[in-house]
Each structure stands twice: as C-alpha cells, then as structure tokens.
C-alpha cells in the first residue's frame, strides 16, 4: 500500500462521515468529492519517528503514543532522542546509522537546537545550525525516500531558564533571538509544518523542571501539542496529496541533443530541484513512467516514421528531419518514455488514484507530426495521450489546451479534421513554426474544432488569461470534453530566451485554474498536464511550481 494511501485509510473514518453527506444530482461519480475504494478504516499503522535530544529521549513520545491510542489512530511511535546531541551530532549519527531505512517512518518529528545553544564546547553557530538542519531534512526527504518521503514536522525549542554553567543567560538569549527564528525560517522556506513548543512553554516556567527539561506536566503538554499538529498535518496531506500526481524519472535526462541546445536535461533537473526545495515534490503522488508500447505510438505516428526514429542514431544520423531535433543514442527510448509517462498519468487519473497530474517529461511533443519530427519534438506525447484516452479508456471527446509560446502545429495537424478532439492554442504570432493564425479552424468534419489565438510579442498574463477565459472556456464547455490535456509549455514566461512574452508564474497559475474549472464542470476534473517548452531554468521551475500548486488547490 502506498504511503499516501496509508494516510488516507487512517483518517478514512473521518472522511467517510463527510462523504456520506456528499451526493451528486446527475448520477455521475463524484470523484473529486470522495476518495474511492477507501471506505473502511485501515488497519495500517502510522509510523512516527521522533528525532531530538534528551528532551525527546525522555517521555513525550510515550505520552504521544497514549494519545494516539486513545484517539483510535493506529500508530507506532519510535523514540530516537539522543541525550546531549546537537544538530551536528544528529546529522553525523543519521549519516552513519541508517535509521530511516530501518524504521520507514511516515512522519518525522524534529526537535533539535537546545544543545546548539549551550555556552560550552557544544555551542554551534546559528549559520552552522541551519546548515545541519537542512542537511538532516534533505536526508529524510530525498535521499532515503525518493518515491514517497515521510512528512516532516519541525518544532521550535523550549525556553531556557538561565543556569550558571552550560545553559547560561547567553543560551537563553540565543534561543529567542537566533535559534527559534532560524527554525521558523526553515519551516517557512522548506514548507515544513511548524509546531511551536516554545510559545507553549513561554509563560509556564513551572513546567520546566531544571530550567531546560520539562516536568511531567510539561511533557504532557508537549505531547498534546504534537498530537494536534500531527492530526492537522495528516488531514492536510491527505487532502492535498490525494489530488495531484507527478511523472518524473532520471531516464528523461538521457536524451542529449548537444551542449548548446536549449532543450537540455538541465530543464528537468531545475524543476525537480526547485520542487524538492519547496517541499512540494513530497506532497505529490509519484507516478512511475514506463515506455509507451509501440502500438499506442502508432495510433498517431506512421509505422515508417516510428521505424525511422528507432534506427536513426544507429544509422549514423545525429538529427531527425530538422537540425534542431538532434538526437543521442537513447533518444528513441527516452521519447517512448515521454509518451509512456503521459499514458501512466492518464491511467492514474482514470483509476481515481489522483485527480490530475503533471508530467515532467522530455523531449517535448507538440511540434511532432504524424510522419515528421520538428521543433525539438520526436513523438507527439499529448496526441498519443488523446488517442489512448479514446481507444483504451473508451472516452469520446478530448480537449487539448496548448499554451506553449509556440503554435502546436503538430497537434493541430494530427486532429485538424477530427471533431472528437478540440484543439486550442494560444501563442506568440508571428514566431516559429509560423502557423497558428486565427483563420486556421479545422477542415471537413473537424471544421470549428481547432481554435487559434495568436498574440503579438509583449503580451502577458492579461492577454493569455483573457484568451482562456473568454475564447476557450465557453467553447470548451459547449464541447463538453470527457478528458482534458494541457500542452504546458512555459516559454511564454517573461524571462524565456526563445519567447517574447511577459507571462509570470501567477499568470500560469490563473490559466491552470481556468482549465481546471473546465475539467471540473465537464469531466469530474480529469486533467493531465504535459510539459512542452520552457527554457529559462528559474522561470521554468517557478512557473511549474505555480502550475502544480494551482492543480493541487
Ligand atoms: Zn515552445
């Protein structure tokens, strides 16, 4: 059972009560209101690991266990408090002794810093304290639990009543002026819930037995404070992490179009690094990509083209069709994985495992034609996804929203005469690839099912948002899609070196909200967003963050 599902099942009793009161009038499955298949309270135990010094090593974890037992929350609390340890000691301890892998916690309660404030050999400079804590959080979040990291909660440290030695007047001052502000700053910057045990003890000196350690009443108050924060954090994590999936994999870095090429592996690295730093990656449900079976790629591309791509590198070709689609040895496989990631995300949405998902994949796809590569694109990931939705999942109508700064010419061409796929593109015009005029609206039965909104260079949030709200939304609701795909390029960002637009991350967030509204009003929120362009690394990373946060709202 996935960790996120475990969170779900544990508080499912509470959710089930809420869900009982949720009904829909049209008989449709209210997928967004209530998690499916989680109807009975789970027997899974929540594993909680308490890290800290002698204050943790004493009895608060035991009292916390009692509170959880009383509340009927199946949980096992492990006490890893180490008397006398500073943040530096603890980081060294964790690096040498792999406690996380042994215990596999769902939740880590982190309370360190009291010994760092000592006025003796153990004293730690505040900057070093921050570095140690970040190292520890990084170990917990990323290195040991890449797929599903535990939720970390961080506590402020207790006030100190000054003693003549070790915990002196200076220590007491540092707690207030340096250590706790640093902890608050870490909580804010890394998006880690804060448990404020300092404020709890601030006006209760009688709860401190020896000026540093709590007495029984103090430990009970601490345990109660942790308990409240844990139940809040679980509810929040359940509500948020349920919704949005994330497709990513190191294999996507293997497509190497050459040193000067803007579509570099660094794009994905900068996204993942930024989401990790913001603590967002751990809140998403990771979807493991697989290579797309060739039969699904062949629903869009001709067999000759697929074979050509498969053999190109080994026949000595270093680009496909156009020099900007340069390739390396693994490019064919990586392109299969890019399409495959979209298919896995669609499956996860259809299975109710997530409500929506973002695919951090490359190479991009929207310039790829049935039988031709173009504009950094090999296989048209979104088009393959649309056909998969129709043929594998039996849905009729798919909406594709393309807000990449470049016109999605490949996607448009593939569905140009097809009334089952509504293709909408807003883009800079004129710009590569040169198509995308407002007069291009489809042909034959597909007439009216292609919508282009060309915008002049210099357009920004206002123009893009208006295009989606005023042009796309009414047409999309009339079309009534069964599934929505986004060709999410972020090269309309104001700092992008290839585009000339002024869109900000908040603009991308607002565009996301509009597409989500369409999905919610027409198809239970079924939405998969697929990365296309975006070549300013910081601009791309921040825009993806804003986009994912809006998907999670
Ligand atoms: Zn683009």
């Amino acid at each position: 059972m996935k960790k996120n599902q475990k969170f779900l099942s544990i508080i499912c009793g509470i959710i089930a009560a809420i869900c009982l009161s949720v009904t829909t009038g049209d008989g449709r499955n209210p997928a967004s209101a209530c998690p499916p298949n989680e109807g009975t309270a789970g027997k899974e135990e929540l594993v909680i690991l308490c890290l800290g010094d002698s204050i943790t090593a004493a009895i608060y974890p035991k009292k916390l266990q009692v509170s959880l037992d009383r509340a009927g929350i199946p949980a096992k609390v492990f006490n890893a408090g180490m008397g006398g340890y500073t943040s530096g000691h603890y980081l060294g301890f964790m690096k040498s002794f792999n406690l996380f892998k042994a215990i596999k916690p769902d939740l880590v309660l982190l309370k360190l810093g009291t010994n760092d404030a000592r006025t003796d050999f153990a004293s730690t400079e505040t900057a070093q304290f921050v570095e140690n804590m970040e190292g520890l959080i990084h170990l917990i979040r990323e290195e040991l639990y890449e797929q599903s990291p535990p939720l970390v909660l961080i506590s402020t440290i207790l006030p100190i009543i000054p003693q003549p030695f070790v915990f002196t007047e200076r220590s007491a001052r540092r707690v207030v002026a340096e250590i706790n502000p640093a902890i608050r700053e870490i909580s804010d910057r890394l998006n880690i819930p804060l448990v404020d045990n300092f404020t709890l003890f601030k006006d209760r000196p009688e709860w401190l037995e020896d000026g540093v350690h709590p007495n029984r009443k103090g430990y009970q108050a601490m345990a109660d404070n942790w308990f409240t924060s844990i139940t809040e954090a679980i509810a929040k994590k359940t509500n948020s992490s349920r919704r949005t999936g994330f497709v990513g994999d190191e294999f996507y870095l293997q497509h190497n179009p050459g040193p000067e090429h803007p579509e570099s592996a660094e794009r994905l690295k900068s996204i993942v690094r930024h989401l990790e730093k913001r603590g967002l990656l751990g809140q998403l449900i990771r979807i493991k990509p697989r290579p797309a079976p060739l039969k699904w790629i062949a629903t869009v591309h001709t067999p000759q083209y697929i074979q050509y791509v498969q053999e190109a590198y080994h026949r000595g070709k270093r680009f496909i069709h156009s020099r900007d689609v340069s390739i390396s040895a693994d490019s064919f496989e990586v392109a299969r994985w890019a399409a495959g990631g979209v298919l896995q995300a669609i499956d996860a949405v259809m299975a109710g495992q997530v409500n929506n998902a973002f695919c951090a994949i490359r190479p991009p796809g929207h310039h790829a034609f049935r039988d031709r590569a173009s504009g950094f694109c090999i296989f048209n990931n979104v088009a393959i996804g649309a056909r998969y939705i129709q043929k594998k999942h039996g849905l009729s109508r798919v909406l594709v929203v393309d807000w990449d700064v470049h016109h999605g010419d490949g996607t448009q061409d593939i569905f140009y005469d097809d009334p089952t796929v509504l293709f909408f593109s807003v883009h800079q015009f004129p710009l590569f690839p040169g198509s995308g005029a407002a007069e291009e609206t489809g042909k034959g039965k597909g007439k009216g099912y292609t919508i282009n909104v060309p915008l002049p260079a210099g357009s920004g949030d206002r123009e893009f948002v208006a295009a989606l709200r005023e042009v796309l939304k009414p047409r999309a609701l009339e079309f009534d899609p069964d599934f929505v795909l986004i060709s999410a390029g972020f090269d309309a960002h104001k700092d992008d070196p290839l585009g000339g637009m002024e869109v900000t991350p908040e603009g991308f967030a607002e565009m996301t909200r509009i597409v989500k509204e369409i999905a919610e009003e027409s198809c239970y929120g079924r939405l998969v967003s697929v990365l296309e362009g975006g070549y300013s690394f910081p601009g791309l990373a921040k825009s993806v963050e804003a986009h994912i946060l809006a998907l999670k709202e």
Side-chain angles (χ1 to χ4, degrees):
M1 178 177 264
K2 282 182 188 166
K3 202 157 283 176
N4 290 317
Q5 289 172 328
K6 188 163 29 163
F7 277 110
L8 265 169
S9 64
I10 283 161
I11 68 152
C12 202
I14 305 164
I15 293 176
I18 300 164
C19 287
L20 282 174
S21 64
V22 178
T23 53
T24 54
D26 59 0
R28 288 175 159 193
N29 172 24
S32 63
C34 190
N37 306 322
E38 298 285 348
T40 52
K43 302 266 188 296
E44 286 287 328
E45 253 185 0
L46 188 67
V47 177
I48 301 174
L49 178 62
C50 305
L51 308 189
D53 45 38
S54 57
I55 298 174
T56 298
I59 55 169
Y60 102 70
K62 200 172 167 189
K63 288 179 176 295
L64 175 62
Q65 177 78 66
V66 172
S67 301
L68 290 161
D69 290 348
R70 278 199 191 128
I73 298 175
K76 176 79 185 154
V77 182
F78 288 90
N79 187 341
M82 305 293 285
Y85 268 35
T86 61
S87 56
H89 291 132
Y90 217 101
L91 180 60
F93 167 61
M94 279 298 172
K95 280 183 174 166
S96 58
F97 179 59
N98 209 334
L99 197 60
F100 299 119
K101 275 203 171 136
I103 292 182
K104 295 189 171 59
D106 303 294
L107 263 170
V108 175
L109 312 187
L110 181 55
K111 185 187 163 300
L112 278 165
T114 303
N115 287 309
D116 297 78
R118 286 162 68 138
T119 313
D120 64 1
F121 61 90
S123 173
T124 312
E125 289 297 321
T126 305
Q128 184 62 52
F129 168 73
V130 171
E131 200 176 301
N132 294 341
M133 294 296 270
E134 283 180 354
L136 202 48
I137 291 161
H138 182 74
L139 264 184
I140 297 166
R141 268 186 173 175
E142 306 303 341
E143 289 189 9
L144 297 165
Y145 281 93
E146 226 180 347
Q147 290 302 311
S148 187
L151 181 65
V152 182
L153 270 65
I154 192 169
S155 168
T156 49
I157 58 169
L158 308 185
I160 286 170
I161 299 172
Q163 329 276 306
F165 306 107
V166 185
F167 292 103
T168 62
E169 184 68 45
R170 180 168 185 272
S171 306
R173 272 202 314 272
R174 280 195 68 206
V175 169
V176 177
E178 294 179 29
I179 303 284
N180 277 337
I183 290 170
R184 288 176 206 280
E185 196 270 331
I186 291 170
S187 154
D188 195 44
R189 183 160 41 85
L190 302 183
N191 198 13
I192 294 176
L194 183 82
V195 181
D196 194 359
N197 282 310
F198 174 85
T199 302
L200 184 71
F201 277 73
K202 190 162 63 87
D203 300 318
R204 307 303 287 262
E206 70 275 17
W207 282 354
L208 288 172
E209 193 168 63
D210 57 4
V212 179
H213 298 89
N215 59 18
R216 292 190 80 82
K217 270 192 174 166
Y219 278 123
Q220 185 62 55
M222 252 181 93
D224 292 346
N225 207 24
W226 279 115
F227 176 80
T228 308
S229 305
I230 287 168
T231 48
E232 280 171 9
I234 293 171
K236 211 169 164 187
K237 183 181 169 80
T238 303
N239 287 336
S240 59
S241 65
R242 181 73 189 164
R243 299 181 62 86
T244 296
F246 182 85
V247 175
D249 197 281
E250 295 222 324
F251 189 59
Y252 291 127
L253 308 178
Q254 294 302 315
H255 166 60
N256 179 8
E260 301 296 317
H261 203 289
E263 203 287 285
S264 70
E266 188 57 33
R267 299 174 62 230
L268 291 194
K269 286 188 197 166
S270 68
I271 291 173
V272 170
R273 256 199 316 266
H274 184 71
L275 296 181
E276 272 178 2
K277 199 173 107 198
R278 301 290 300 154
L280 191 51
L281 206 52
Q283 298 175 38
L284 304 172
I285 295 179
R286 296 294 282 266
I287 299 168
K288 181 87 184 145
R290 285 203 286 257
L294 293 182
K295 73 166 187 174
W296 291 113
I297 295 177
T299 58
V300 166
H301 297 286
T302 62
Q304 296 82 348
Y305 174 64
I306 297 170
Q307 192 181 353
Y308 181 80
V309 175
Q310 185 164 11
E311 294 170 358
Y313 188 84
H314 305 290
R315 291 186 169 210
K317 304 225 177 289
R318 292 300 174 263
F319 59 89
I320 301 174
H321 294 148
S322 100
R323 287 201 170 269
D324 64 347
V325 193
S326 39
I327 52 169
S328 53
D330 289 325
S331 294
F332 170 72
E333 273 304 310
V334 179
R336 277 186 72 192
W337 277 65
V342 178
L343 305 190
Q344 293 300 115
I346 290 165
D347 284 345
V349 169
M350 292 307 294
Q353 289 162 350
V354 296
N355 283 354
N356 53 42
F358 177 72
C359 305
I361 60 171
R362 60 187 288 275
H366 73 150
H367 298 305
F369 290 75
R370 279 194 183 87
D371 56 358
R372 179 158 58 91
S374 167
F376 316 164
C377 300
I378 296 174
F379 294 138
N380 196 312
N381 306 312
V382 158
I384 295 165
R387 287 294 181 235
Y388 185 76
I389 288 162
Q390 295 179 320
K391 291 177 192 286
K392 169 83 188 292
H393 291 288
L395 301 180
S396 307
R397 291 177 306 281
V398 180
L399 167 65
V400 177
V401 180
D402 186 328
W403 67 48
D404 189 282
V405 80
H406 304 99
H407 177 235
D409 54 345
T411 315
Q412 169 170 305
D413 185 71
I414 289 162
F415 301 118
Y416 208 52
D417 57 0
D418 186 342
T420 67
V421 176
L422 179 64
F423 176 68
F424 172 91
S425 180
V426 55
H427 45 265
Q428 184 174 329
F429 189 88
L431 186 69
F432 175 89
S435 52
E439 297 74 35
E440 298 168 25
T441 58
K443 70 175 180 196
K445 286 186 178 169
K447 189 84 187 160
Y449 293 90
T450 290
I451 307 165
N452 282 299
V453 181
L455 293 175
S459 302
D461 292 355
R462 198 152 44 99
E463 292 80 4
F464 274 79
V465 167
L468 264 69
R469 197 173 285 295
E470 288 158 28
V471 183
L472 168 67
K473 194 174 177 186
R475 291 286 298 281
L477 291 180
E478 192 187 330
F479 177 70
D480 193 22
D482 301 308
F483 206 109
V484 180
L485 296 170
I486 303 179
S487 263
F490 296 95
D491 39 12
H493 185 276
K494 61 186 175 58
D495 298 333
D496 196 276
L498 301 195
M501 297 306 217
E502 298 293 330
V503 178
T504 68
E506 182 44 41
F508 287 115
E510 191 56 26
M511 285 149 70
T512 309
R513 291 184 195 108
I514 297 168
V515 180
K516 250 181 84 182
E517 284 165 21
I518 294 168
E520 276 158 13
E521 285 179 43
S522 48
C523 52
Y524 326 114
R526 289 178 192 139
L527 170 60
V528 168
S529 172
V530 180
L531 181 65
E532 300 282 0
Y535 307 97
S536 146
F537 302 138
L540 173 64
K542 286 179 190 161
S543 301
V544 169
E545 180 196 7
H547 176 54
I548 289 177
L549 284 172
L551 286 176
K552 269 163 56 59
E553 277 169 8

